[in-house]
Amino acid sequence: MKKGYLFLVLAITALASTSCAQVLNGKNSFTRQDTLRGSITPERAWWDVLHYTVGVNPDYNTKTIEGKTEIRFKVLEPGNKMQIDLQEPMKIERAYWEKGDLTM
């Protein structure tokens, strides 16, 4: 019984150590985007997210997704530029700040 249990534990350990969910998606080096994500830059340091509201509309025929995200945040210190990271091919079409359009 102990030999069977030990074999099972070793087999599971070997399997778990060789399986990875995401192996950098075949990437061999880090990009500027990888460096920016997670770094506290001056464009991120002046504000703090309080709440995200996300709405998503999938179009199954064209295999696309359209959505809207509202970010509620508090200002920690004065700032004039906000960094928001997006994954390709996402893009910002419009941005609003207190009832006014922003330039991008």
Side-chain angles (χ1 to χ4, degrees):
M1 180 71 175
K2 285 186 180 183
K3 285 184 181 180
Y5 179 72
L6 180 60
F7 177 75
L8 181 61
V9 170
L10 290 174
I12 291 173
T13 303
L15 181 62
S17 66
T18 59
S19 62
C20 295
Q22 298 172 358
V23 187
L24 291 178
N25 297 328
K27 291 169 48 175
N28 293 327
S29 63
F30 291 101
T31 64
R32 179 162 168 24
Q33 290 293 340
D34 294 325
T35 303
L36 290 174
R37 283 186 209 100
S39 303
I40 303 298
T41 61
E43 292 80 14
R44 284 186 174 160
W46 66 269
W47 60 285
D48 189 22
V49 172
L50 299 174
H51 183 78
Y52 288 103
T53 302
V54 179
V56 178
N57 299 314
D59 185 336
Y60 298 105
N61 295 324
T62 62
K63 298 182 180 180
T64 59
I65 299 173
E66 186 174 314
K68 176 182 175 181
T69 302
E70 295 177 12
I71 303 172
R72 191 169 49 126
F73 62 94
K74 69 177 177 179
V75 175
L76 303 174
E77 59 187 58
N80 61 6
K81 191 184 260 189
M82 178 182 274
Q83 178 180 337
I84 300 173
D85 296 330
L86 302 174
Q87 292 284 338
E88 289 288 338
M90 295 174 77
K91 61 183 176 181
I92 296 175
E93 292 182 359
R94 284 185 300 240
Y96 302 96
W97 172 279
E98 296 180 354
K99 302 179 185 179
D101 285 342
L102 296 175
T103 58
M104 292 184 283

